[in-house]
Amino acid sequence: MQAENSTGEARTWQAGELRLAVARILVAAGSADAEAATVAANLVMANLSGHDSHGVGMVPRYVDAVLEGGLVPNNAVKVVLDGGALLTLDGQRGYGQVVGEQAMALGMERARLHGSCIVALGNAHHLGRIGHFAEMAVSQGLVSLHFVNVLSRPVVAPWGGADGRFGTNPCCIGIPVAGQGPFVLDFATSRVAQGKMRVAHNEGRKVEPGYLIDALGRPTTDPGVVVVPQAGGPGAGLFGALMTFGEHKGYGLAVACELLGGALTGGGAWHRPADASRAVVNGMLTVLIDPAKLGTQQTFEAETRAFVDWLREAPAAPGGESVMIAGEPERNARLARERDGIAIDPTTWSEMVQAAAKVKLAL
C-alpha cells in the first residue's frame, strides 16, 4: 500500500488489503465473519471493475444505516411464497450483497429445474452492483434480467420535472456467450449513478453538462447538489437531482423499474417526502431462463457467438481502439486494477476511518 502523500493524492491499495480493512469495519458493526467477508469481497470487486460508486466508499453509509437500525446485520433472505418457478422473497433489511446472492442461488436452482424462474425480492438493503448477480447467472449458462428500484432519498427527476422523485433504478441483462466473456449490461436509468456523483464530489471534480439540475431545477455541473444540501440563497438546505438518460426513454425505463422492482415484488415504490434515513432499500425482480430447457441451446450459442464476432469485426471509430460488448470494460478494469491496485481518494478514506471510529474501531 502506498501512503497518502502531502498533496492529498489518492492512496493505492491492493485488493486483498482493502477487503481486510472493510471486513474489519463490518465485523465491528456487528456482522459475523462470513457476512463481512462476503460484503467486503463484493464491494472491492466493484472497485476492481471500475465502478467505485458501488465500492468501498459505501461503507460509511452502511455503518450509519446499521447504527440507525435500517440495515440489520446477519439477516438472511426469507421465503414468502414458493410457487416452484415463482419465488417471492423478503430480504429482511439484511445486507443486499448477502440476501441478493441467496435469492439468486434459489432462483438459479429453480431455473435449472423448470427452465425459468421469476424471483421477486423485496426489502433488501443496498444490493450494490447488480451486474454481480447477472455474472452469477451467466456463469451457469443462464440468461438473467433484473429490474431494481431504490427506496432512499429520491435523487432523479422525472422527464419534464424539476426535482427528485425516484432513485437511480438500475436495469441489468446478462447473456452467456459460448467460448467468450458474457454480455453483462448493467446501468442506472439516471444518466449517471448517484455514487459516481459522490466520488466526483469527494475528488473535487465537476461533471459534464446535462447530468444534473440544482435545487431550483437549473442545469449545473456541480455534483455536490445531489451529495450535500445546498448552502445559502434560494434552495438552501435542499438537494438538486440527477437527470434520466435518453430523455423520455430513460424516464420510462426508470418508471418500469420502480413498478416491477418495487410494486410487483411487494417491497414498495417511493411516493413520500424524503427523510434523513441513511438506509438504502432495494427491490429486485429477476427473470432467469435456461436456454437448454427452452430447446434453443445450439442455435442460441451459435447465433450469439456469430453476432458478437460480427460486432467485433466492425472497424474502430476515429480515435477509438475496437468495438467491445457490455461487460468487457469491467473485465479489462479488473485485470488492470488487480495488477496496479485500487486508488481511494483522501476524502473517501477519511470517511471510512470516521465510520470505523463510530463502531469503536481504529482503522
Side-chain angles (χ1 to χ4, degrees):
M1 183 186 75
Q2 297 175 354
E4 181 185 327
N5 63 31
S6 59
T7 62
E9 294 178 358
R11 59 169 67 179
T12 301
W13 297 76
Q14 293 303 308
E17 294 178 306
L18 206 49
R19 281 190 289 266
L20 180 60
V22 171
R24 289 179 62 207
I25 298 173
L26 299 180
V27 168
S31 288
D33 289 345
E35 175 174 90
T38 296
V39 177
N42 183 289
L43 294 176
V44 173
M45 180 57 75
N47 288 107
L48 285 171
S49 302
H51 294 292
D52 297 315
S53 56
H54 291 68
V56 300
M58 290 300 302
V59 169
R61 184 150 192 177
Y62 290 178
V63 170
D64 287 346
V66 169
L67 295 176
E68 288 178 356
L71 167 56
V72 185
N74 307 312
N75 261 6
V77 74
K78 175 184 176 183
V79 177
V80 177
L81 180 144
D82 185 346
L86 290 168
L87 291 170
T88 302
L89 308 173
D90 184 347
Q92 302 192 101
R93 294 290 184 103
Y95 276 98
Q97 291 83 355
V98 174
V99 298
E101 287 192 0
Q102 293 170 344
M104 286 297 296
L106 291 169
M108 291 187 298
E109 180 183 15
R110 298 303 175 84
R112 288 193 300 270
L113 178 63
H114 300 291
S116 65
C117 185
I118 296 175
V119 183
L121 171 65
N123 204 30
H125 196 265
H126 187 238
L127 289 163
R129 190 177 66 90
I130 306 304
H132 172 67
F133 305 117
E135 288 166 353
M136 290 178 66
V138 297
S139 71
Q140 298 194 19
L142 302 174
V143 172
S144 71
L145 297 85
H146 310 264
F147 303 92
V148 182
N149 83 320
V150 184
L151 298 180
S152 181
R153 178 173 60 83
V155 294
V156 185
W159 175 242
D163 68 357
R165 293 281 152 164
F166 48 84
T168 52
N169 291 10
C171 179
C172 181
I173 301 169
I175 303 173
V177 180
Q180 300 186 29
F183 172 91
V184 179
L185 178 65
D186 178 19
F187 61 95
T189 49
S190 53
R191 281 203 65 183
V192 66
Q194 161 73 0
K196 293 187 186 301
M197 297 297 93
R198 171 180 48 78
V199 173
H201 175 68
N202 285 353
E203 293 178 349
R205 291 188 285 110
K206 298 294 185 182
V207 299
E208 295 178 32
Y211 284 8
L212 296 161
I213 54 176
D214 67 16
L216 299 180
R218 303 171 302 193
T220 180
T221 59
D222 176 13
V225 299
V226 292
V227 179
V228 294
Q230 298 307 283
L238 301 177
F239 289 89
L242 293 161
M243 305 298 289
T244 57
F245 82 89
E247 301 179 337
H248 61 286
K249 297 176 183 179
Y251 166 50
L253 186 54
V255 172
C257 287
E258 190 75 29
L259 299 179
L260 295 174
L264 188 59
T265 63
W270 185 278
H271 41 76
R272 60 182 173 81
D275 56 35
S277 172
R278 296 287 282 168
V280 181
V281 181
N282 290 144
M284 179 168 69
L285 183 74
T286 297
V287 179
L288 295 161
I289 303 168
D290 185 350
K293 290 292 181 71
L294 196 61
T296 62
Q297 181 77 41
Q298 279 190 309
T299 303
F300 171 68
E301 289 185 355
E303 290 298 310
T304 301
R305 186 169 56 246
F307 181 65
V308 170
D309 288 344
W310 167 252
L311 293 174
R312 294 190 194 282
E313 290 168 5
E321 295 183 3
S322 63
V323 172
M324 293 191 288
I325 64 167
E328 202 166 355
E330 287 80 1
R331 292 190 287 274
N332 291 342
R334 287 171 199 167
L335 292 174
R337 290 190 172 193
E338 283 280 12
R339 179 189 66 237
D340 302 331
I342 300 167
I344 304 296
D345 67 87
T347 300
T348 296
W349 178 247
S350 175
E351 290 172 350
M352 292 176 64
V353 171
Q354 292 170 37
K358 290 179 182 179
V359 288
K360 299 180 171 48
L361 173 69
L363 191 60

